[in-house]
Amino acid sequence: MVECTIQSLSDPTVTRPGRHVVSLFAQYYPCQLAPGLDHEREREAFADRVVDILYAHAPNVRQALVARHVSTPRELETRFGLPGGATETPADAVTG
């Protein structure tokens, strides 16, 4: 599943006129890669597959793509302290 959000539809000030800012969120990318796999190469290959999925529904996306940033679970854990890159907390982990 790929979740697509187009932030510039609700806030056109996030980019220049005639452009859009799109975020794609995909589940699932492993926290640990199999031995011998290169993190950078696999990250970019996975991002290419996500763009391919969007391309199946929006054929002009490849030529319209200006830049991209790919965050993996390892990067989310390092940058935001999210264990394993988890962006959602299981209900049983929430304390009140």
Side-chain angles (χ1 to χ4, degrees), residues 1-6 22-27 50 53-54 88:
M1 179 178 85
V2 176
E3 176 184 316
C4 179
T5 305
I6 306 172
V22 178
S23 293
L24 302 174
F25 181 81
Q27 294 277 4
V50 171
I53 291 168
L54 182 60
E88 296 182 19

Side-chain angles (χ1 to χ4, degrees), residues 8-84:
S8 51
L9 291 178
S10 61
D11 182 0
T13 66
V14 297
T15 190
R16 297 190 314 253
R19 301 262 175 130
H20 287 287
V21 175
V22 178
S23 293
L24 302 174
F25 181 81
Q27 294 277 4
Y28 165 82
Y29 186 88
C31 294
Q32 300 294 325
L33 297 178
L37 293 179
D38 176 71
H39 178 72
E40 290 300 315
R41 186 172 38 249
E42 295 304 317
R43 177 180 78 166
E44 293 304 316
F46 184 82
D48 289 341
R49 289 192 300 275
V50 171
V51 171
D52 288 344
I53 291 168
L54 182 60
Y55 176 77
H57 303 279
N60 69 332
V61 72
R62 281 196 191 110
Q63 50 279 29
L65 187 63
V66 175
R68 75 180 185 188
H69 174 81
V70 182
S71 295
T72 64
R74 183 170 74 173
E75 292 163 290
L76 294 173
E77 183 171 38
T78 301
R79 185 170 182 192
F80 301 110
L82 299 170

